[in-house]
Amino acid sequence: MFYLSIAKEVLFLLKIFQMVNIFLLSIIATNVLISMKGFNDESFFRKYQFHVGSIRAGEQIRMVSSAFLHADAVHLLFNMIALYSFAPVVTETLGNLSFLLIYAGSLIFGSLLTMVFHGNEYNYRAVGASGAVTGIIYSAILLYPDMTIGIFGVIPMPAYIFGIGYLLYSIYGMKSKRDNIGHTAHFGGAIGGYAITLLKDPMLFEQSTFMVILLAIPIIILFIMAKMGKL
């Protein structure tokens, strides 16, 4: 009876384990642990934050490491809740490996676009997983543009409207520079999520042609404005 009880408990734990996405939890755990280290160790925080001057001096690791640091607990919590909310849409549709690819790719896109727009601002600093998380959000929106998103948890809005509005707001933030939010990293992450999702699921070009074009409009606007020197 003892061994039967143990076997039942093991099976129960295995079922729970199968319900938990270990890939998603690993990313969240990594963000939490590294951010906590940064909260309690200023030298560690400064060594791995996004800093243009240091990156241009050869410390490219900051382009990745900064995405696992956060300014404070609220910043960390907000990003992780957003990731936890949208990641299942991507993992259940494209699989875990594609999810990891989109997350990592969006992180890199966010950092690269930040360097494009702020590469001459040697004192520019930033931290946060927002670029990677925004990539996952935009990927989920591209996959299911008609799903409903609850703004502030209460205001229902079609996902595609939220996605387009968010990127247009990011362009405004990039242009106005009135806050300390890394709008450029957010936008770069969205580009990464958009592009990699289409590469992983090219059938979207045929199945959701209108939405693919519609969700590309803010990206096109960004590059036109950049070309015209409006940013």
Side-chain angles (χ1 to χ4, degrees):
M1 291 295 293
F2 173 76
Y3 292 107
L4 180 59
S5 177
I6 293 294
K8 287 181 178 180
E9 289 182 10
V10 170
L11 288 174
F12 177 71
L13 291 173
L14 285 174
K15 287 181 180 180
I16 293 177
F17 183 78
Q18 289 171 353
M19 293 171 63
V20 175
N21 189 312
I22 192 65
F23 294 92
L24 173 58
L25 291 185
S26 295
I27 289 177
I28 292 175
T30 302
N31 272 279
V32 170
L33 291 173
I34 294 178
S35 291
M36 291 294 289
K37 172 67 174 175
F39 295 157
N40 298 302
D41 187 340
E42 186 176 351
S43 63
F44 178 86
F45 185 89
R46 290 184 177 277
K47 182 177 180 180
Y48 293 108
Q49 69 178 336
F50 191 101
H51 178 241
V52 170
S54 298
I55 292 170
R56 295 197 62 167
E59 297 180 26
Q60 282 79 19
I61 185 63
R62 291 172 179 262
M63 296 180 70
V64 176
S65 62
S66 59
F68 294 94
L69 291 168
H70 288 80
D72 51 44
V74 174
H75 186 204
L76 172 64
L77 182 64
F78 183 85
N79 273 337
M80 294 304 99
I81 289 176
L83 178 62
Y84 188 82
S85 299
F86 285 91
V89 177
V90 179
T91 57
E92 291 173 14
T93 305
L94 300 179
N96 288 321
L97 293 181
S98 292
F99 160 70
L100 292 176
L101 178 62
I102 293 169
Y103 186 91
S106 298
L107 186 161
I108 297 299
F109 267 80
S111 292
L112 288 175
L113 194 67
T114 301
M115 287 300 294
V116 168
F117 281 93
H118 300 283
N120 292 320
E121 300 172 32
Y122 282 74
N123 288 322
Y124 185 91
R125 304 170 188 271
V127 292
S130 301
V133 173
T134 303
I136 294 298
I137 293 174
Y138 218 65
S139 173
I141 291 172
L142 181 59
L143 291 168
Y144 296 99
D146 292 324
M147 67 178 175
T148 299
I149 292 178
I151 308 301
F152 303 116
V154 293
I155 305 173
M157 179 181 294
Y160 72 93
I161 293 178
F162 169 80
I164 293 170
Y166 183 77
L167 289 195
L168 291 177
Y169 170 72
S170 294
I171 293 175
Y172 168 77
M174 291 168 65
K175 184 175 175 61
S176 66
K177 299 179 181 179
R178 293 181 179 178
D179 53 41
N180 293 320
I181 299 173
H183 296 287
T184 311
H186 296 183
F187 208 106
I191 294 174
Y194 177 87
I196 298 171
T197 299
L198 288 175
L199 287 174
K200 297 300 296 184
D201 189 2
M203 288 300 294
L204 288 169
F205 283 109
E206 297 180 17
Q207 297 171 350
S208 303
T209 306
F210 177 70
M211 284 299 174
V212 169
I213 295 172
L214 193 63
L215 290 169
I217 290 176
I219 299 173
I220 296 170
I221 290 174
L222 175 74
F223 283 104
I224 290 175
M225 291 181 68
K227 189 71 175 179
M228 296 174 64
K230 299 294 185 179
L231 291 174

